Amino acid sequence: MKPSLSLLRLLPLVALLVLCGCRISYKLNGAAIDYNVYKTISVSQFPIRAALVYPPLQQTFENELLDYITRNTRLRTIDSGGDLQMEGEITGYSLSPQAVTENAYASRTRLTIQVRVKYTDNKQEGKDIDQTFSAYRDFDSSEMLTDVQDQLCNEISKELVDLIFNATLGDW
C-alpha cells in the first residue's frame, strides 16, 4: 500500500511539532543557579580553627573550592559583597584509630577534616546555610602521616568541596 500524498506532506509537520513540543533539559554540573539573578560570588578565607593544625590545608581547600566554583558555574568571583557569599573555617583536623589488630595496635588510622560553611544568598531569603561538613580517609598505620598527608588532604578537600557545592550552589 502506497501512502497518500497528503499524508507525506503532513509527516514533516508532525515531526516538527513533536520535536518543538519536547524539551530535554539537564545540567552536567548540577548547579541550580539563575544567572539572570546571580552574577557574582564572594568566597572568604577559611582559617584553620582546629586543635591540630596542618598549615597547607587552608590553601589546598580554598584553591579547590574556588577552582570548583569557577569550573562549574558562570559566577564571577569577587572579594566581597557578592550576590552569593561563602565564608567559614576549618574546625576539625583529627586522627583516630580504626582497625585494631590482635596485639592491640591500630592497623588503620582515619584522618577526618571538618569545615563549617556559612553561605548567604543576598538576593533571596530562606536560602542561607550555616552547616558543618565532614569527610575522611583511612590509611595504613604503618605509613607515616607526613608521607600521606598531602595526598589525603587533597582527596578530602575535593570531597568536602563537592558536598559544599551540592548543598549550596547545586541546591540538592
Side-chain angles (χ1 to χ4, degrees):
M1 185 166 137
K2 197 172 179 183
S4 70
L5 189 56
S6 61
L7 183 60
L8 288 175
R9 287 184 185 161
L10 285 177
L11 192 57
L13 180 61
V14 170
L16 182 64
L17 288 174
V18 168
L19 290 175
C20 291
C22 296
R23 184 174 142 201
I24 298 171
S25 175
Y26 59 90
K27 296 177 181 150
L28 296 176
N29 62 14
I33 301 167
D34 182 353
Y35 292 107
N36 294 320
V37 176
Y38 301 102
K39 308 273 189 234
T40 60
I41 185 169
S42 51
V43 179
S44 299
Q45 291 186 341
F46 281 74
I48 300 173
R49 304 269 192 255
L52 184 60
V53 175
Y54 179 58
L57 176 60
Q58 179 179 351
Q59 195 67 46
T60 299
F61 175 78
E62 290 171 358
N63 287 344
E64 184 64 35
L65 181 60
L66 286 169
D67 289 348
Y68 197 90
I69 290 170
T70 301
R71 281 191 321 266
N72 293 290
T73 73
R74 289 183 283 162
L75 295 171
R76 187 170 46 91
T77 56
I78 58 175
D79 291 334
S80 62
D83 298 332
L84 301 167
Q85 292 179 278
M86 200 176 294
E87 58 188 320
E89 57 194 1
I90 298 168
T91 58
Y93 186 89
S94 61
L95 296 167
S96 59
Q98 291 305 303
V100 179
T101 62
E102 64 276 353
N103 57 4
Y105 290 107
S107 62
R108 304 283 298 162
T109 302
R110 177 169 291 173
L111 173 61
T112 304
I113 300 174
Q114 293 178 317
V115 177
R116 178 177 174 248
V117 175
K118 184 178 178 191
Y119 172 79
T120 307
D121 185 331
N122 291 320
K123 298 285 187 175
Q124 189 175 3
E125 287 187 33
K127 295 270 192 167
D128 298 352
I129 293 173
D130 191 344
Q131 184 177 344
T132 298
F133 298 88
S134 180
Y136 65 87
R137 288 292 182 277
D138 293 343
F139 63 99
D140 195 284
S141 294
S142 65
E143 296 178 291
M144 294 293 296
L145 176 62
T146 53
D147 294 338
V148 295
Q149 194 165 223
D150 286 336
Q151 177 189 343
L152 296 174
C153 286
N154 283 331
E155 292 173 11
I156 294 170
S157 290
K158 287 178 190 297
E159 182 177 342
L160 286 168
V161 166
D162 194 44
L163 293 169
I164 292 165
F165 185 88
N166 287 337
T168 56
L169 300 168
D171 199 22
W172 290 78

